[in-house]
Amino acid sequence: MITENLVYGQSIAADWQQELHNSIYKPMQLLELLEIADSPLAAKIAHKQGFRLQVPSAYVARMRKGDPNDPLLRQVLPLLEENRQLQGFSHDPVGDSIVEKAPGLLQKYHGRVLLVTTGACAIHCRYCFRQHYHYSTAKPFAALESIRADTSITEVILSGGDPLSLTDQRLAELAHNIAEIPQIQRLRLHTRLPIVLPTRVNDELLAWLTGTRLQPVIVIHANHANEFDETVNQALMRLVNAGITVLNQSVLLRGVNDNAASLIALSEALFNCRVLPYYLHLLDRVQGAAHFEVSTAIAIELIKEMQIALPGYLVPKLVREIEGMAYKVVIK
Ligand SMILES: *Cc1c(COP(=O)(O)O)cnc(C)c1O
Ligand code: SF4
């Protein structure tokens, strides 16, 4: 019996919703599954109330057993280090609150708006810059009126949270309403679900996404080559084969992907599914994520090493989001 899935607005659970419901929420349970419950890592865990551990089993299955430094585990395990208060790390590092046009509608850049569709995610990434965002105020359908009123907007980006944690029924309705706004040409989704819960890429999703007049673009979010397995590859290939442009953005994270070999392997894993790397983000300085920060100088070196090893189209743009800038700033 699945009762919680009422939150996703549907009483009959799809397979992916069932899987989501069976996610891991207890840090010690996760360490036990990975056979590292007696490692020193256990003493470093933060037991959180708010932005707690959340990770689907399908993602846990790709973590290496017996390795406290596993790059996937590091992305999700809440550590006591998160409680450190550091100068320069804030609750809203990219200035979301000052660019709100309507509740949940953010516009920073010309021609495109970002619609916060939900606060829910399938996974809680410890470095997430929106971990302190006030989601309860987001009203995606109400925001459409202010999109309609601005004829300079040609692209709507569904973000969150993770937009694919909503049901296909609701998303189809949203896509339909967006397609009715004449100036909109592209519908973009920023989602981590094809990586962390690949069963989310189902027939219903492909139907509404390819069934509008809008050009679909999906920006996935993978940080490490170990995040790919056969199920993920197949999910990504389904999107690509349906004619959807699929790009990837990553965050450069200390202890996860801050070496050239990892980043090169990630680009290769992406292109293996015909996904192109788009952005490699420097960490947004959000309260609780300081232990993931990699210096700009090291980041530039890593990009140089990628340029030596890879064709240009497999080298992502290294970017930093700077409040008040008209685009994401490329670091060279
Ligand atoms: C990142 C971001 C976008 C998208 O920027 P692109 O450079 O087009 O990928 C749009 N709106 C907001 C608020 C963003 O943070
Ligand atoms: S999936 Fe995206 S929005 Fe959700 S916690 Fe991870 S980084 Fe943040």
Side-chain angles (χ1 to χ4, degrees):
M1 249 286 284
I2 303 197
T3 47
E4 253 132 284
N5 101 85
L6 290 172
V7 234
Y8 302 102
Q10 194 170 283
S11 54
I12 300 162
D15 293 350
W16 66 269
Q17 289 175 299
Q18 187 117 26
E19 265 191 70
L20 197 54
H21 178 79
N22 294 334
S23 292
I24 308 290
Y25 299 99
K26 296 196 178 109
M28 280 314 291
Q29 187 190 353
L30 178 57
L31 296 198
E32 275 156 25
L33 283 167
L34 297 173
E35 298 166 7
I36 48 173
D38 51 9
S39 80
L41 192 60
K44 298 180 187 161
I45 289 174
H47 296 275
K48 293 247 159 180
Q49 297 296 325
F51 192 63
R52 63 177 175 166
L53 171 80
Q54 183 183 330
V55 57
S57 298
Y59 190 79
V60 174
R62 290 169 246 153
M63 296 178 182
R64 284 188 298 249
K65 285 196 173 158
D67 182 3
N69 296 318
D70 178 82
L72 279 56
L73 173 65
R74 288 291 164 150
Q75 293 180 55
V76 301
L77 190 70
L79 295 178
L80 289 169
E81 286 168 293
E82 292 181 16
N83 298 335
R84 273 189 303 158
Q85 304 279 331
L86 281 176
Q87 192 86 43
F89 285 77
S90 73
H91 277 202
D92 181 13
V94 298
D96 272 347
S97 57
I98 54 176
V99 293
E100 248 188 348
K101 289 183 76 158
L105 183 70
L106 310 180
Q107 183 166 22
K108 270 189 193 160
Y109 308 132
H110 178 79
R112 53 228 195 264
V113 283
L114 188 147
L115 198 52
V116 176
T117 51
T118 170
C121 291
I123 190 168
H124 285 170
C125 314
R126 305 319 304 174
Y127 52 84
C128 178
F129 73 93
R130 278 208 194 108
Q131 59 184 277
H132 308 287
Y133 190 81
H134 295 291
Y135 285 107
S136 55
T137 57
K139 293 187 187 69
F141 284 90
L144 297 183
E145 275 324 297
S146 67
I147 297 177
R148 184 183 292 277
D150 183 344
T151 53
S152 72
I153 298 170
T154 53
E155 177 166 343
V156 175
I157 303 171
L158 305 186
S159 183
D162 197 310
L164 291 189
S165 52
L166 297 171
T167 61
D168 288 309
Q169 195 187 340
R170 199 168 158 77
L171 288 163
E173 200 183 331
L174 191 56
H176 174 80
N177 290 8
I178 293 168
E180 284 187 331
I181 305 175
Q183 69 269 29
I184 307 301
Q185 296 162 13
R186 291 176 299 278
L187 180 64
R188 187 189 332 177
L189 267 76
H190 282 184
T191 176
R192 195 147 156 68
L193 267 157
I195 295 293
V196 304
L197 196 71
T199 51
R200 180 65 186 88
V201 180
N202 57 11
D203 295 342
E204 292 77 10
L205 169 66
L206 291 172
W208 67 261
L209 202 50
T210 59
T212 81
R213 66 167 185 87
L214 303 168
Q215 278 180 281
V217 182
I218 294 192
V219 181
I220 58 164
H221 175 178
N223 296 315
H224 197 280
N226 291 7
E227 289 176 322
F228 294 75
D229 66 5
E230 214 26 62
T231 58
V232 172
N233 292 349
Q234 278 173 17
L236 296 173
M237 289 299 288
R238 280 196 83 184
L239 296 170
V240 172
N241 289 338
I244 299 162
T245 300
V246 187
L247 305 168
N248 180 65
Q249 55 180 345
S250 310
V251 183
L252 184 58
L253 299 165
R254 193 159 92 210
V256 174
N257 59 10
D258 58 335
N259 62 82
S262 287
L263 294 170
I264 291 165
L266 172 60
S267 276
E268 283 174 341
L270 287 163
F271 198 63
N272 189 36
C273 314
R274 290 199 241 126
V275 176
L276 288 172
Y278 180 38
Y279 284 150
L280 175 63
H281 292 264
L282 288 170
L283 184 82
D284 293 314
R285 304 187 94 195
V286 65
Q287 172 63 49
H291 54 292
F292 285 116
E293 194 169 48
V294 176
S295 75
T296 306
I298 289 175
I300 290 170
E301 274 312 307
L302 290 171
I303 289 287
K304 281 189 190 148
E305 288 184 55
M306 292 184 86
Q307 284 172 319
I308 292 168
L310 290 169
Y313 59 88
L314 293 187
V315 181
K317 282 187 214 169
L318 178 66
V319 291
R320 179 192 289 288
E321 191 147 339
I322 301 175
E323 205 179 296
M325 290 296 288
Y327 45 84
K328 297 197 202 287
V329 179
V330 179
I331 310 288
K332 292 196 181 108

